[in-house]
Amino acid sequence: MGVKRIAILTGGGDCPGLNGVLRAVVRSATREHGIEVIGVQDGFEGLAVTPARVRRLDVGDVRGLLPRGGTILGTSNRANPFAFPVKSRGRVLLKDVSRTIIRRLRTLGVDALVVVGGDGSLSIAHEMGKLGVRVVGVPKTIDNDLSATDVTFGFDTAVATAVDALDKLHTTAESHHRVMILEVMGRNAGWIALHAGVAGGADVILLPEFPYDIRRVVAKIAERARHNCHFSIIVVAEGAFPAGGRVKTRKSAVGALARLVGAGERVATELRGLHGGESRVTVLGHVQRGGSPSSFDRVLSTRFGAAAVDAVVRERFGTMVALCGAAIETVPLADAVGVQKRVDTSTELLRVAQAIGIEVGAITRR
Ligand code: F6P
């Protein structure tokens, strides 16, 4: 059965480049293949509610989208069809609405669904695929923690934002002889911290993958002081924590992941009294998710969008488009969602960081 109409949704946290995917999907589907595109608003939520929040997307609707951050469709990080929050008598209950969504797609005449998302949304896509939905995934996340693709779009822009912050922190750190701590996102993966730290000339990078010993950080600050550098730049991943400790979290809305909080402030507290100077903390937060995508992310999101349509046309359902080396390929969704990609001792950039004298707060042996 050929494909005449596809639906597309963006799920999970937003990131720069989502609009680039939408633009490429709409342009390639309509121009190349004569396929109609339906945009679903706010992730799976748009298909779970009554009436469904969907709208047709034509080439005119995606005009001028390439430089625009966010997603014109909206997104949600708690619209899991298998545990969908529903209010009942003042309480929020989690209900399985997956069958409702499948019926919806049928009523809308949707032949295939393109899901643009991270680990969470792609896992849902995989489960929906098992129930018979013809689905193709597109990987996105600033965290770059999906194992089946070399890179996700959004990551490059987030790193650039963090590097810009580090460049600015450098000058004020040096002027005031301070230790400047920059907390960056990434959840349980240290990719943003590692790349931004190396590109931004950090002295210390603390990663979720290697619980740190604060004494190593203090030793690094002291070593710099001996070389007449009375300031230091520390990049702390939001998921970093001291050896023997745990990451701190705060409860989120029902259905959403817990928020990681306070990693940078904790390092500042631990440093207090242990070195001669002052420490200040900047939490970069959602700034990393916003703004205009870098040229790399614009190109990657465009390639992914066109490849997703190609996968639909070739009926390669149950797959995700991925960057493998220089090529865009399709990989089984099952492989894409199974394992999280994290920094480890074989990560070349980690070894480079250490080789040039960046302290990672822990002994890392292969
Ligand atoms: O997964 C992307 C991400 O930005 C993480 O780096 C961060 O921990 C999380 O989302 C924040 O999510 P929220 O916007 O729900 O606070």
Side-chain angles (χ1 to χ4, degrees):
M1 184 184 89
V3 174
K4 293 197 175 58
R5 184 178 287 166
I6 59 178
I8 182 164
L9 62 83
T10 52
D14 70 341
C15 86
L18 285 170
N19 284 327
V21 177
L22 298 178
R23 175 176 175 271
V25 164
V26 170
R27 286 171 72 120
S28 139
T30 54
R31 295 165 79 110
E32 279 270 300
H33 305 285
I35 296 174
E36 199 178 292
V37 182
I38 304 283
V40 178
Q41 285 176 248
D42 305 323
F44 283 98
E45 187 174 320
L47 290 172
V49 293
T50 308
R53 289 204 296 272
V54 293
R55 63 180 159 121
R56 183 156 166 189
L57 292 177
D58 287 317
V59 171
D61 298 310
V62 295
R63 196 161 286 143
L65 276 194
L66 207 46
R68 199 157 138 190
T71 160
I72 57 157
L73 287 180
T75 184
S76 165
N77 58 6
R78 45 197 146 114
N80 178 352
F82 299 96
F84 190 75
V86 179
K87 274 200 187 132
S88 166
R89 294 190 200 139
R91 285 174 53 215
V92 180
L93 305 174
L94 296 177
K95 264 185 75 179
D96 183 348
V97 296
S98 55
R99 303 279 164 189
T100 310
I101 288 182
I102 292 171
R103 273 199 302 277
R104 273 274 148 72
L105 289 169
R106 219 173 284 141
T107 313
L108 290 166
V110 168
D111 302 310
L113 176 67
V114 175
V115 175
V116 192
D119 192 33
S121 305
L122 294 175
S123 301
I124 294 168
H126 182 45
E127 292 306 314
M128 296 297 284
K130 288 191 205 160
L131 295 179
V133 178
R134 306 195 325 159
V135 63
V136 169
V138 177
K140 70 87 220 179
T141 167
I142 63 164
D143 302 341
N144 199 31
D145 59 352
L146 291 174
S147 56
T149 181
D150 289 354
V151 191
T152 50
F153 65 85
F155 173 66
D156 185 66
T157 308
V159 169
T161 300
V163 171
D164 180 49
L166 286 169
D167 288 349
K168 287 172 175 152
L169 288 173
H170 249 105
T171 53
T172 173
E174 189 166 8
S175 306
H176 284 269
H177 317 295
R178 279 174 173 156
V179 170
M180 286 294 190
I181 298 166
L182 180 70
E183 182 186 305
V184 297
M185 280 186 166
R187 284 209 80 84
N188 305 313
W191 299 109
I192 297 178
L194 181 60
H195 282 252
V198 170
D203 306 297
V204 177
I205 303 174
L206 303 179
L207 304 168
E209 292 86 350
F210 302 103
Y212 62 84
D213 178 346
I214 200 68
R215 290 171 301 186
R216 295 182 69 95
V217 180
V218 175
K220 182 72 195 175
I221 296 168
E223 178 201 312
R224 285 175 55 75
R226 282 198 300 281
H227 290 97
N228 229 6
C229 284
H230 299 283
F231 72 97
S232 291
I233 301 289
I234 303 179
V235 175
V236 181
E238 63 179 350
F241 57 92
R246 287 169 62 175
V247 67
K248 288 186 188 161
T249 57
R250 187 173 300 152
K251 247 178 111 179
S252 276
V254 180
L257 290 173
R259 285 166 56 195
L260 308 184
V261 289
E265 202 54 60
R266 181 194 245 175
V267 172
T269 307
E270 288 171 345
L271 283 179
R272 201 159 293 143
L274 293 182
H275 71 101
E278 267 183 293
S279 308
R280 293 296 172 91
V281 183
T282 302
V283 180
L284 207 47
H286 290 81
V287 172
Q288 292 157 100
R289 292 237 300 259
S292 186
S294 65
S295 49
F296 179 88
D297 283 338
R298 293 182 199 194
V299 171
L300 186 59
S301 57
T302 301
R303 291 175 81 192
F304 276 171
V309 173
D310 198 56
V312 166
V313 171
R314 289 167 193 265
E315 309 208 352
R316 297 226 170 104
F317 299 119
T319 63
M320 179 188 91
V321 297
L323 182 67
C324 304
I328 303 285
E329 294 179 4
T330 49
V331 294
L333 263 175
D335 297 353
V337 298
V339 191
Q340 200 188 26
K341 182 172 70 187
R342 301 182 78 199
V343 178
D344 65 24
T345 51
S346 68
T347 302
E348 189 244 6
L349 193 60
L350 177 74
R351 286 186 277 123
V352 168
Q354 291 176 299
I356 63 164
I358 297 175
E359 175 58 58
V360 298
I363 298 170
T364 61
R365 285 199 193 89
R366 290 190 80 174

Coordinates of all heavy atoms in Angstrom, one line a residue, residues 224-295:
R224 N 47.4 25.8 39.1 CA 47.3 27.0 38.3 C 47.8 28.3 39.0 O 48.5 29.1 38.5 CB 45.8 27.2 37.8 CG 45.4 26.3 36.8 CD 43.9 26.4 36.4 NE 43.6 27.8 36.0 CZ 43.9 28.3 34.8 NH1 44.5 27.6 33.9 NH2 43.5 29.6 34.6
A225 N 47.5 28.3 40.3 CA 48.0 29.5 41.1 C 49.5 29.5 41.1 O 50.1 30.6 41.0 CB 47.4 29.4 42.5
R226 N 50.1 28.3 41.2 CA 51.6 28.2 41.2 C 52.2 28.7 39.9 O 53.3 29.2 39.9 CB 52.0 26.8 41.5 CG 51.9 26.4 43.0 CD 52.8 25.1 43.2 NE 52.4 24.0 42.4 CZ 51.3 23.2 42.7 NH1 50.6 23.4 43.8 NH2 51.0 22.2 41.9
H227 N 51.4 28.6 38.9 CA 51.8 29.1 37.6 C 51.3 30.5 37.3 O 51.2 31.0 36.2 CB 51.4 28.2 36.4 CG 52.1 26.9 36.5 ND1 51.6 25.7 37.1 CD2 53.4 26.6 36.0 CE1 52.5 24.8 37.0 NE2 53.6 25.2 36.3
N228 N 50.9 31.2 38.4 CA 50.5 32.6 38.3 C 49.1 32.8 37.6 O 48.9 33.9 37.1 CB 51.6 33.4 37.6 CG 51.8 34.6 38.5 OD1 51.3 34.8 39.6 ND2 52.6 35.6 38.0
C229 N 48.3 31.8 37.5 CA 46.9 31.9 37.0 C 46.0 31.9 38.2 O 45.8 30.8 38.7 CB 46.6 30.7 36.1 SG 47.4 30.9 34.5
H230 N 45.5 33.0 38.6 CA 44.7 33.1 39.8 C 43.2 33.0 39.5 O 42.4 33.7 40.1 CB 45.1 34.3 40.6 CG 46.5 34.2 41.0 ND1 46.9 33.4 42.1 CD2 47.6 34.8 40.5 CE1 48.3 33.5 42.2 NE2 48.7 34.3 41.2
F231 N 42.8 32.3 38.4 CA 41.4 32.1 38.1 C 41.3 30.7 37.5 O 42.3 30.2 37.0 CB 40.9 33.2 37.2 CG 41.4 33.0 35.8 CD1 40.7 32.4 34.8 CD2 42.7 33.5 35.4 CE1 41.2 32.2 33.5 CE2 43.2 33.4 34.1 CZ 42.4 32.7 33.2
S232 N 40.1 30.2 37.6 CA 39.9 28.9 36.9 C 38.5 28.8 36.4 O 37.6 29.4 37.0 CB 40.2 27.7 37.9 OG 41.5 27.6 38.3
I233 N 38.4 28.0 35.4 CA 37.0 27.8 34.8 C 36.7 26.3 35.0 O 37.4 25.4 34.5 CB 37.0 28.1 33.3 CG1 37.5 29.6 33.0 CG2 35.7 27.8 32.6 CD1 36.5 30.6 33.4
I234 N 35.5 26.1 35.6 CA 35.1 24.7 35.8 C 33.7 24.5 35.1 O 32.8 25.2 35.3 CB 34.9 24.4 37.3 CG1 36.2 24.7 38.1 CG2 34.4 23.0 37.6 CD1 36.1 24.5 39.6
V235 N 33.7 23.4 34.3 CA 32.4 23.1 33.6 C 31.9 21.9 34.4 O 32.5 20.9 34.6 CB 32.6 22.7 32.1 CG1 31.3 22.2 31.5 CG2 33.1 23.9 31.4
V236 N 30.6 22.0 34.9 CA 30.0 20.9 35.6 C 28.8 20.5 34.9 O 27.8 21.3 34.6 CB 29.6 21.4 37.0 CG1 29.0 20.3 37.8 CG2 30.8 22.0 37.8
A237 N 28.7 19.2 34.5 CA 27.5 18.7 33.9 C 26.4 18.6 35.0 O 26.7 18.3 36.1 CB 27.7 17.3 33.3
E238 N 25.2 18.9 34.6 CA 24.1 18.9 35.6 C 23.9 17.5 36.3 O 23.4 17.5 37.4 CB 22.7 19.3 35.0 CG 22.3 18.3 33.9 CD 20.9 18.7 33.3 OE1 20.2 19.6 33.7 OE2 20.6 18.0 32.3
G239 N 24.4 16.5 35.7 CA 24.3 15.1 36.3 C 25.5 14.7 37.0 O 25.6 13.6 37.5
A240 N 26.5 15.6 37.2 CA 27.8 15.3 37.9 C 27.5 15.2 39.4 O 26.7 15.9 39.9 CB 28.9 16.3 37.6
F241 N 28.2 14.3 40.1 CA 28.1 14.2 41.5 C 29.4 13.7 42.1 O 30.2 13.1 41.4 CB 26.9 13.3 41.9 CG 27.0 11.9 41.3 CD1 27.6 10.9 42.0 CD2 26.5 11.7 40.0 CE1 27.7 9.6 41.5 CE2 26.6 10.4 39.5 CZ 27.2 9.4 40.2
P242 N 29.6 13.9 43.4 CA 30.9 13.5 44.0 C 30.9 12.0 44.2 O 29.9 11.3 44.4 CB 30.9 14.2 45.3 CG 29.5 14.6 45.6 CD 28.8 14.7 44.3
A243 N 32.1 11.4 44.3 CA 32.3 10.0 44.5 C 31.6 9.7 45.9 O 31.8 10.4 46.8 CB 33.7 9.6 44.6
G244 N 30.8 8.7 46.0 CA 30.1 8.3 47.2 C 28.8 9.1 47.4 O 28.1 8.8 48.3
G245 N 28.5 10.0 46.5 CA 27.3 10.8 46.6 C 26.3 10.4 45.5 O 26.5 9.4 44.9
R246 N 25.3 11.2 45.4 CA 24.3 10.9 44.4 C 23.9 12.2 43.7 O 24.0 13.3 44.3 CB 23.0 10.4 45.0 CG 23.2 8.9 45.5 CD 22.1 8.5 46.3 NE 20.8 8.5 45.6 CZ 19.7 8.1 46.1 NH1 19.6 7.7 47.4 NH2 18.6 8.1 45.4
V247 N 23.3 12.1 42.5 CA 22.9 13.3 41.8 C 21.6 13.8 42.5 O 20.8 13.0 43.1 CB 22.6 13.0 40.3 CG1 21.5 12.0 40.1 CG2 22.4 14.2 39.5
K248 N 21.5 15.2 42.6 CA 20.3 15.7 43.3 C 19.2 16.0 42.3 O 19.4 16.5 41.2 CB 20.6 17.0 44.0 CG 21.5 16.8 45.2 CD 21.7 18.2 45.9 CE 22.7 18.0 47.0 NZ 23.3 19.3 47.4
T249 N 17.9 15.6 42.7 CA 16.8 15.8 41.7 C 15.7 16.5 42.4 O 15.6 16.5 43.7 CB 16.3 14.4 41.2 OG1 15.9 13.6 42.4 CG2 17.3 13.7 40.4
R250 N 14.8 17.1 41.6 CA 13.6 17.7 42.2 C 12.4 17.1 41.4 O 12.5 16.9 40.2 CB 13.7 19.2 42.0 CG 12.5 20.0 42.6 CD 12.7 21.5 42.6 NE 13.9 21.9 43.2 CZ 14.6 23.0 42.9 NH1 14.2 23.8 41.9 NH2 15.7 23.4 43.5
K251 N 11.3 16.9 42.1 CA 10.2 16.3 41.4 C 9.6 17.2 40.3 O 9.6 18.4 40.4 CB 9.0 16.1 42.4 CG 8.7 14.7 42.7 CD 7.7 14.5 43.8 CE 6.4 14.0 43.1 NZ 5.4 13.8 44.1
S252 N 9.2 16.6 39.2 CA 8.6 17.4 38.1 C 7.1 17.1 38.1 O 6.6 16.4 38.9 CB 9.2 16.9 36.8 OG 10.4 17.5 36.5
A253 N 6.5 17.6 37.0 CA 5.0 17.3 36.8 C 4.8 15.8 36.6 O 5.8 15.1 36.2 CB 4.6 18.0 35.6
V254 N 3.6 15.3 36.9 CA 3.3 13.9 36.7 C 3.7 13.4 35.3 O 3.3 14.1 34.3 CB 1.8 13.6 37.0 CG1 1.5 12.1 36.8 CG2 1.4 14.1 38.3
G255 N 4.4 12.3 35.2 CA 4.7 11.8 33.8 C 6.0 12.3 33.3 O 6.6 11.8 32.3
A256 N 6.6 13.4 33.9 CA 7.9 13.9 33.4 C 9.0 13.4 34.2 O 8.8 13.0 35.3 CB 7.8 15.4 33.4
L257 N 10.2 13.4 33.6 CA 11.4 13.0 34.4 C 11.7 14.0 35.5 O 11.5 15.2 35.3 CB 12.6 12.9 33.4 CG 12.6 11.8 32.4 CD1 13.8 12.0 31.4 CD2 12.7 10.4 33.0
A258 N 12.3 13.5 36.5 CA 12.7 14.4 37.6 C 13.8 15.3 37.1 O 14.5 15.0 36.2 CB 13.3 13.5 38.8
R259 N 13.8 16.6 37.6 CA 14.8 17.6 37.2 C 16.1 17.4 38.0 O 16.1 17.1 39.2 CB 14.2 19.0 37.5 CG 13.2 19.4 36.5 CD 12.4 20.6 36.9 NE 13.3 21.7 37.2 CZ 13.0 22.8 37.8 NH1 11.7 22.9 38.3 NH2 13.8 23.8 38.0
L260 N 17.2 17.5 37.3 CA 18.5 17.4 38.0 C 18.8 18.9 38.4 O 18.8 19.8 37.7 CB 19.6 16.9 37.0 CG 19.3 15.6 36.2 CD1 20.4 15.2 35.4 CD2 18.9 14.5 37.2
V261 N 19.2 19.0 39.7 CA 19.4 20.4 40.2 C 20.7 20.4 41.1 O 21.1 19.5 41.7 CB 18.2 20.8 41.1 CG1 17.0 21.1 40.3 CG2 17.9 19.8 42.2
G262 N 21.3 21.6 41.0 CA 22.2 22.0 42.1 C 23.6 21.4 41.9 O 24.5 21.6 42.8
A263 N 24.0 20.9 40.7 CA 25.3 20.3 40.6 C 26.4 21.3 40.7 O 27.5 21.1 41.4 CB 25.5 19.5 39.3
G264 N 26.2 22.5 40.1 CA 27.2 23.6 40.1 C 27.4 24.2 41.5 O 28.5 24.4 42.0
E265 N 26.2 24.4 42.1 CA 26.2 25.0 43.4 C 26.9 24.1 44.4 O 27.6 24.5 45.4 CB 24.7 25.3 43.8 CG 24.5 26.3 44.9 CD 25.2 27.7 44.6 OE1 24.8 28.3 43.6 OE2 26.0 28.1 45.4
R266 N 26.7 22.8 44.3 CA 27.3 21.8 45.2 C 28.8 21.9 45.0 O 29.5 21.8 46.1 CB 26.8 20.4 44.8 CG 27.4 19.3 45.7 CD 27.1 18.0 45.0 NE 26.2 17.2 45.8 CZ 25.7 16.0 45.4 NH1 26.0 15.6 44.2 NH2 24.9 15.3 46.2
V267 N 29.3 22.0 43.8 CA 30.8 22.1 43.7 C 31.3 23.4 44.3 O 32.3 23.4 45.1 CB 31.2 22.1 42.1 CG1 32.7 22.4 41.9 CG2 30.8 20.8 41.5
A268 N 30.6 24.5 44.2 CA 31.0 25.8 44.8 C 31.0 25.6 46.3 O 31.9 26.0 47.0 CB 30.0 26.9 44.4
T269 N 30.0 24.9 46.9 CA 29.9 24.7 48.3 C 31.1 23.8 48.8 O 31.7 24.1 49.8 CB 28.6 24.0 48.7 OG1 27.5 24.8 48.2 CG2 28.4 23.9 50.2
E270 N 31.4 22.8 48.0 CA 32.5 21.9 48.4 C 33.8 22.6 48.3 O 34.7 22.3 49.1 CB 32.5 20.7 47.5 CG 31.3 19.7 47.8 CD 31.2 18.6 46.8 OE1 31.8 18.7 45.7 OE2 30.5 17.7 47.0
L271 N 33.9 23.6 47.4 CA 35.2 24.3 47.3 C 35.4 25.3 48.4 O 36.6 25.7 48.6 CB 35.3 25.0 45.9 CG 35.5 24.1 44.7 CD1 35.5 25.0 43.4 CD2 36.9 23.4 44.8
R272 N 34.3 25.7 49.0 CA 34.4 26.8 50.0 C 35.4 26.5 51.0 O 35.4 25.4 51.6 CB 33.0 27.1 50.6 CG 32.9 28.5 51.2 CD 31.5 28.9 51.3 NE 30.8 29.1 50.0 CZ 29.5 28.7 49.8 NH1 28.8 28.2 50.7 NH2 29.0 29.0 48.6
G273 N 36.4 27.4 51.2 CA 37.4 27.2 52.3 C 38.6 26.3 51.8 O 39.6 26.3 52.5
L274 N 38.4 25.7 50.7 CA 39.5 24.7 50.3 C 40.5 25.4 49.3 O 41.6 24.9 49.1 CB 38.9 23.5 49.6 CG 38.1 22.6 50.4 CD1 37.6 21.4 49.6 CD2 38.9 22.1 51.6
H275 N 40.1 26.5 48.8 CA 41.1 27.3 48.0 C 41.0 28.7 48.4 O 40.0 29.2 49.0 CB 41.0 27.1 46.5 CG 39.7 27.8 45.9 ND1 39.8 28.9 45.2 CD2 38.4 27.4 46.0 CE1 38.6 29.3 44.9 NE2 37.7 28.4 45.3
G276 N 42.0 29.5 48.0 CA 42.1 30.9 48.6 C 41.1 31.8 48.1 O 40.7 32.8 48.8
G277 N 40.5 31.6 46.9 CA 39.6 32.6 46.2 C 38.2 32.4 46.4 O 37.7 31.6 47.2
E278 N 37.5 33.1 45.5 CA 36.0 33.1 45.5 C 35.5 32.2 44.4 O 36.2 32.1 43.3 CB 35.5 34.4 45.1 CG 35.2 35.4 46.2 CD 34.6 36.7 45.5 OE1 35.3 37.4 44.8 OE2 33.4 36.9 45.7
S279 N 34.4 31.5 44.5 CA 33.8 30.7 43.4 C 32.4 31.3 43.1 O 31.7 31.7 44.0 CB 33.6 29.3 43.8 OG 34.7 28.7 44.3
R280 N 32.1 31.4 41.9 CA 30.7 31.8 41.4 C 30.1 30.8 40.5 O 30.9 30.2 39.7 CB 30.8 33.2 40.8 CG 31.2 34.3 41.7 CD 30.1 34.5 42.8 NE 30.6 35.5 43.8 CZ 30.4 36.8 43.7 NH1 29.8 37.3 42.7 NH2 30.9 37.6 44.7
V281 N 28.8 30.7 40.5 CA 28.2 29.7 39.7 C 27.2 30.3 38.7 O 26.4 31.2 39.0 CB 27.3 28.7 40.6 CG1 26.7 27.6 39.8 CG2 28.2 28.2 41.7
T282 N 27.3 29.8 37.5 CA 26.3 30.2 36.4 C 25.6 28.9 36.0 O 26.3 28.0 35.6 CB 27.0 30.8 35.2 OG1 27.7 32.0 35.6 CG2 26.0 31.3 34.1
V283 N 24.3 28.9 36.1 CA 23.6 27.8 35.6 C 23.0 28.2 34.2 O 22.1 29.0 34.1 CB 22.4 27.3 36.6 CG1 21.7 26.1 36.0 CG2 23.0 27.0 37.9
L284 N 23.5 27.5 33.2 CA 23.1 28.0 31.8 C 21.7 27.6 31.5 O 21.0 28.3 30.7 CB 24.1 27.4 30.8 CG 24.3 28.1 29.5 CD1 24.5 29.6 29.7 CD2 25.4 27.5 28.8
G285 N 21.2 26.4 31.9 CA 19.8 26.0 31.8 C 19.3 26.0 30.4 O 20.0 25.6 29.4
H286 N 18.1 26.4 30.2 CA 17.3 26.3 28.9 C 17.8 27.2 27.8 O 17.4 27.0 26.7 CB 15.8 26.5 29.2 CG 15.3 25.3 29.9 ND1 15.3 25.3 31.3 CD2 14.6 24.2 29.6 CE1 14.8 24.2 31.7 NE2 14.3 23.5 30.7
V287 N 18.7 28.1 28.2 CA 19.4 28.9 27.1 C 20.0 27.9 26.1 O 20.0 28.2 24.8 CB 20.5 29.8 27.7 CG1 21.3 30.5 26.6 CG2 19.8 30.8 28.6
Q288 N 20.5 26.8 26.6 CA 21.1 25.8 25.7 C 20.1 25.2 24.7 O 20.5 24.6 23.7 CB 21.7 24.7 26.5 CG 22.9 25.2 27.3 CD 23.2 24.3 28.5 OE1 24.1 23.4 28.4 NE2 22.4 24.4 29.6
R289 N 18.8 25.2 25.0 CA 17.8 24.6 24.1 C 17.3 25.6 23.1 O 16.5 25.2 22.2 CB 16.7 24.0 25.0 CG 17.1 22.8 25.8 CD 16.3 21.6 25.5 NE 14.9 21.9 25.8 CZ 14.2 21.4 26.9 NH1 14.9 20.8 27.8 NH2 13.0 21.7 27.1
G290 N 17.6 26.9 23.3 CA 16.9 27.9 22.5 C 17.8 28.4 21.4 O 18.9 27.9 21.2
G291 N 17.3 29.4 20.7 CA 18.0 30.1 19.7 C 18.1 29.4 18.4 O 17.5 28.3 18.2
S292 N 18.7 30.1 17.5 CA 18.8 29.7 16.1 C 19.8 28.5 15.9 O 20.9 28.6 16.5 CB 19.2 30.9 15.3 OG 19.2 30.6 13.9
P293 N 19.4 27.5 15.2 CA 20.4 26.4 15.0 C 21.6 26.8 14.3 O 21.6 27.6 13.4 CB 19.6 25.3 14.2 CG 18.3 26.0 13.7 CD 18.1 27.3 14.5
S294 N 22.7 26.1 14.6 CA 24.0 26.4 13.9 C 23.8 25.8 12.5 O 22.9 25.1 12.2 CB 25.1 25.6 14.6 OG 24.9 24.2 14.5
S295 N 24.8 26.2 11.6 CA 24.7 25.7 10.2 C 24.8 24.1 10.2 O 24.1 23.5 9.5 CB 25.8 26.3 9.3 OG 27.0 26.2 10.0

